[in-house]
Amino acid sequence: MKNILVPVGSSANAISNLQYAIDLAKSINANVYVVSVFQELSKVGGLSKVNTILKEESENRLDEVLSQVDRQGVQVIAHPIKGEVVEGINRIGKQVPIDLMVLAPRSNSIKEEVYLGKTSGKLLKQTNIPILVVPEGAKFQPPKTMLMAFKNGTFEHDELLEAVRVFKQSFKTEVNVLHVETAETTEDMKNVTHNLMALQNSYTQVEAATTFQAVIEYFQQFSPDMLCVVRRKRGFFKKLWEKNEIHKKEFYTSKPLLVLPVQE
């Protein structure tokens, strides 16, 4: 894991979120890319000056956040990015291999009952980069334990598990696997590929209506420092994909949430 991406928005947690990413990057010898995305307006009607102002505001926001963090010798590269947020992030990914995106769960304008705001939710659902959702105001602490929950134990490509592997190798994180069997489970899904078996410290197979319900039921039993789920097309957030904003009554965790890429 060499490159960590941190989108900076209007959130009051932008500083602590970036500091978390920098502290993580220092621990694993990675670089941090910080971006502020701004929506450029149509140039028709003499709006080019307005676009210049929008870019300057984006640059000023980056400067403001960067001035309040301790870089600790980590290489931090900042850029304003024009365009819609998902398109802008995907464009960055084509230029720089992004290994992990660190997100704040919501902006400061979102109501207290919301876990994932629209921007964070959109990035989580519409990009395919490993994402770490960091609790508001959290300071980085090497996770001693991780609960990794999934329904399909087949991970055909090793890179899908790279983020888990980095945490295990860098911090000796104990990976406790929760393999959930539902009514939709096939025989192939019951298998666990060797690449995951090599990472797991414990294996628990359970039956539940959904992976989501299994996590809620077993979370307290494992009491992990980090929760890991898989972003499949019909996976953990299956019932939440319809909208970008996710309320705490639908899903909430006070621990860092690692979301792995979907398997193509």
Side-chain angles (χ1 to χ4, degrees), residues 1-259:
M1 186 181 294
K2 292 298 181 184
N3 298 316
I4 297 174
L5 177 67
V6 184
V8 170
S10 61
S11 172
N13 296 294
I15 296 166
S16 63
N17 193 57
L18 176 56
Q19 189 66 63
Y20 188 104
I22 290 173
D23 293 347
L24 170 60
K26 181 175 177 60
S27 298
I28 61 175
N29 194 29
N31 304 314
V32 174
Y33 287 81
V34 191
V35 297
S36 178
V37 182
F38 66 96
Q39 187 71 56
E40 190 174 63
L41 303 176
S42 170
K43 293 184 179 179
V44 177
L47 291 174
S48 59
K49 291 184 178 180
V50 176
N51 289 329
T52 299
I53 293 172
L54 291 173
K55 182 179 180 181
E56 288 177 353
E57 288 180 346
S58 184
E59 291 173 339
N60 291 338
R61 176 59 175 158
L62 286 171
D63 290 341
E64 176 191 1
V65 173
L66 285 169
S67 69
Q68 298 182 66
V69 297
D70 180 0
R71 302 192 190 192
Q72 302 188 76
V74 172
Q75 181 169 310
V76 180
I77 302 115
H79 285 294
I81 301 294
K82 68 179 179 180
E84 192 274 331
V85 61
V86 173
E87 186 274 332
I89 296 299
N90 286 332
R91 193 166 68 247
I92 294 168
K94 292 179 181 178
Q95 300 175 6
V96 179
I98 300 300
D99 302 301
L100 182 71
M101 179 159 49
V102 175
L103 293 180
R106 59 179 188 156
S107 72
N108 59 346
S109 62
I110 297 296
K111 296 179 181 178
E112 180 62 31
E113 65 267 20
V114 170
Y115 170 60
L116 277 182
K118 290 182 179 178
T119 300
S120 295
K122 184 183 292 187
L123 287 170
L124 190 147
K125 296 173 183 181
Q126 297 181 28
T127 64
N128 202 30
I129 300 168
I131 287 177
L132 184 61
V133 181
V134 176
E136 298 172 19
K139 295 183 179 180
F140 175 72
Q141 294 289 338
K144 295 180 180 179
T145 59
M146 175 189 295
L147 176 61
M148 181 179 178
F150 55 84
K151 185 166 63 175
N152 187 344
T154 300
F155 290 83
E156 295 179 356
H157 306 293
D158 287 347
E159 59 265 26
L160 296 172
L161 295 168
E162 182 60 22
V164 177
R165 187 177 296 108
V166 167
F167 278 102
K168 185 175 181 67
Q169 292 179 347
S170 300
F171 310 115
K172 302 188 184 305
T173 305
E174 181 179 292
V175 180
N176 298 308
V177 163
L178 186 66
H179 194 169
V180 184
E181 184 176 335
T182 72
E184 299 176 346
T185 297
T186 64
E187 287 301 315
D188 287 342
M189 294 166 68
K190 293 180 182 179
N191 297 323
V192 178
T193 46
H194 291 293
N195 49 7
L196 178 56
M197 291 174 63
L199 293 174
Q200 68 191 34
N201 291 88
S202 74
Y203 175 87
T204 304
Q205 194 279 326
V206 300
E207 294 183 5
T210 64
T211 309
F212 180 85
Q213 289 185 9
V215 167
I216 293 174
E217 182 177 351
Y218 286 89
F219 190 87
Q220 291 300 326
Q221 177 180 321
F222 286 95
S223 189
D225 296 324
M226 180 176 288
L227 174 62
C228 176
V229 296
V230 181
R231 187 202 288 105
R232 297 187 188 276
K233 293 178 180 178
R234 291 176 58 82
F236 186 77
F237 290 100
K238 174 181 174 181
K239 292 185 178 179
L240 305 179
W241 283 152
E242 297 175 359
K243 57 188 186 306
N244 291 321
E245 190 175 277
I246 296 176
H247 287 71
K248 290 180 179 178
K249 64 182 180 181
E250 297 167 313
F251 175 74
Y252 173 75
T253 176
S254 61
K255 304 295 184 179
L257 173 67
L258 177 62
V259 186

